[in-house]
Amino acid sequence: MTHKPQPIDRPFWTPGVLVMLALMIGAALTLIVRYTYGLAAVTNLNNHYPWGIWIGLDVASGVALAAGGFTTAFLAHILGRHYYEAVTRPALLTAALGYTFVALAVFFDIGRSWAIWKPVVYQNHTSALFEVAMCVMAYVTVLWIEFIPVLAERLGGKIRLLAFLDRILDKTMWVFIILGVVLSCMHQSSLGTLMVIAPTKTSPLWATPLQPLLFLTSAFAVGYPMVIVETTIATSSLRLESEMNVLTPLSRITILLLGVYLAIKVGDLVSRGAYATLLDGSAQSNAFLVEVGLGVILPWVMLLFPAVRRSRRWLFTAALLIVSGVMLNRFNVFVVSFKAPYANHPYYPAIGEILVTAGAVATIFFLYRLIVTWFPVLSAQRQEVSR
């Protein structure tokens, strides 16, 4: 049974929220040092390694994991499967927060943050990064526009502008939903194009011209598992109904999407002969085996069993493996696979980089908790969770 979204009547300040706050303070202090003394003061980035986990995890993984927003919008609003409306608002909120922090991660990572506006004016139409930048900026705007009706439900009586925009969006929302799906497909694939231009600097396990297609299909595959993970964590921590009636059907769709991604990935590996390096014992081969074995094959096999799809705990485990596998894929492509030609030592993230990444994740969780407490986002009803 689907209920109308409503604010969550739960105490906001909990031990978990205080831990998030501590991580946010640690990240803020690190960023003060970063903008006072430069990137070298808090990162291990240099001329050999121009990017690290802020790009490999915060940006690349963040974009992929926010795919739940456009995949659920496509299912519920474009295909007309309104049965899934219960998870569209939480997925939209997660995507909006995720993409906002992707933009912030890029802002922190580039050496001259104050020049981040320049691609808008000095456009390079042959650059994949330019397309990614434009699509992400446009999609962040579209996501927050799609969120206006949620804000208007709570504040429309006090803020006339919100009520006015809500009335306009009631007739034009379909335009932004279609635009959001198109923009997502464009930049998810273009993000994979970035490393295609450097085949001599990346491991053959990931150096493939099909990388854009793999990034796009993996984004489709991780969209619904991310919704399952996010919904399970939210309903468990807030002691709400599990919403398994919606999550189980989503897992059946995931079997097809993850299977397509797996078939393309294995077919590409075989056709290029890259499997010859699969068992050479290197860090790259081990990372690839973990990524595909634990992050794709294992959860795909698990989801084939109806008992797993009906079990809250096992479904969460399978979905978490898929989410972790896609995160590891982006980290592998941008960090593990990259071979700096003249570097004397490998790249490892500095404590400062880890603190900022942990603080960014904590901030997303903090804002999610804050927004679902005050605005009608979650549809699940209050109930003691059975374990």
Side-chain angles (χ1 to χ4, degrees):
M1 181 178 178
T2 301
H3 303 278
K4 185 179 179 181
Q6 56 186 349
I8 301 303
D9 181 22
R10 294 286 185 186
F12 180 77
W13 293 105
T14 64
V17 172
L18 294 178
V19 171
M20 294 178 208
L21 196 59
L23 292 172
M24 291 160 61
I25 292 172
L29 294 175
T30 305
L31 288 174
I32 290 174
V33 177
R34 178 258 181 268
Y35 281 105
T36 303
Y37 299 102
L39 280 170
V42 297
T43 73
N44 282 337
L45 305 182
N46 50 46
N47 289 337
H48 299 296
Y49 295 103
W51 61 77
I53 62 170
W54 289 355
I55 295 298
L57 282 180
D58 300 17
V59 175
S61 297
V63 167
L65 299 186
F70 82 88
T71 51
T72 53
F74 178 79
L75 186 65
H77 300 302
I78 295 181
L79 295 184
R81 303 295 181 90
H82 299 294
Y83 179 72
Y84 298 99
E85 290 278 1
V87 294
T88 54
R89 283 191 176 185
L92 173 63
L93 175 59
T94 304
L97 291 174
Y99 271 94
T100 301
F101 276 81
V102 162
L104 288 174
V106 174
F107 184 80
F108 299 147
D109 183 82
I110 59 177
R112 299 176 180 177
S113 301
W114 54 88
I116 197 170
W117 57 271
K118 288 193 173 182
V120 178
V121 177
Y122 304 104
Q123 300 182 356
N124 181 358
H125 296 164
T126 61
S127 168
L129 193 56
F130 170 74
E131 182 189 342
V132 173
M134 292 302 104
C135 286
V136 168
M137 280 193 285
Y139 190 44
V140 169
T141 306
V142 167
L143 284 169
W144 286 111
I145 288 175
E146 291 181 20
F147 203 72
I148 286 177
V150 180
L151 303 178
E153 278 188 34
R154 177 69 186 239
L155 301 175
K158 300 177 181 176
I159 304 176
R160 292 183 178 180
L161 177 61
L162 279 177
F164 173 71
L165 293 175
D166 186 38
R167 286 195 296 274
I168 294 177
L169 288 172
D170 190 45
K171 300 178 181 177
T172 60
M173 182 59 83
W174 62 274
V175 175
F176 294 101
I177 291 172
I178 294 175
L179 188 60
V181 173
V182 172
L183 289 171
S184 296
C185 292
M186 288 176 65
H187 71 258
Q188 292 283 358
S189 57
S190 295
L191 202 56
T193 306
L194 295 180
M195 298 305 286
V196 173
I197 62 176
T200 59
K201 298 179 181 178
T202 54
S203 165
L205 292 170
W206 294 279
T208 168
L210 291 186
Q211 200 64 270
L213 178 62
L214 288 168
F215 265 48
L216 180 61
T217 52
S218 60
F220 281 127
V222 80
Y224 299 134
M226 187 60 198
V227 172
I228 293 170
V229 169
E230 155 213 334
T231 302
T232 305
I233 292 175
T235 53
S236 297
S237 62
L238 296 170
R239 297 188 176 182
L240 304 173
E241 291 178 346
S242 66
E243 296 196 303
M244 286 296 290
N245 58 323
V246 176
L247 302 185
T248 296
L250 287 180
S251 67
R252 286 199 293 268
I253 304 174
T254 301
I255 295 173
L256 173 63
L257 297 176
L258 191 62
V260 170
Y261 169 61
L262 178 61
I264 296 174
K265 195 167 185 68
V266 173
D268 169 69
L269 197 70
V270 173
S271 65
R272 292 187 295 108
Y275 59 86
T277 61
L278 200 56
L279 300 176
D280 64 7
S282 64
Q284 286 79 13
S285 66
N286 291 334
F288 186 90
L289 290 172
V290 172
E291 172 198 324
V292 177
L294 297 182
V296 183
I297 296 176
L298 177 59
W300 184 74
V301 172
M302 288 175 66
L303 290 178
L304 292 176
F305 294 92
V308 171
R309 300 198 299 271
R310 291 194 297 267
S311 164
R312 188 187 195 197
R313 180 170 299 177
W314 285 111
L315 180 60
F316 174 76
T317 302
L320 187 61
L321 283 172
I322 297 170
V323 169
S324 302
V326 172
M327 288 180 65
L328 183 57
N329 170 261
R330 300 308 193 256
F331 182 74
N332 285 342
V333 170
F334 282 94
V335 179
V336 176
S337 169
F338 182 69
K339 295 179 289 188
Y342 303 105
N344 296 321
H345 55 79
Y347 161 81
Y348 293 102
I351 294 296
E353 293 173 82
I354 296 172
L355 283 174
V356 170
T357 296
V361 174
T363 307
I364 291 175
F365 275 83
F366 182 89
L367 292 176
Y368 184 96
R369 176 69 181 254
L370 184 68
I371 292 173
V372 301
T373 300
W374 290 95
F375 293 94
V377 176
L378 298 177
S379 301
Q381 298 298 291
R382 183 172 179 166
Q383 180 181 315
E384 292 299 323
V385 179
S386 60
R387 299 179 184 277

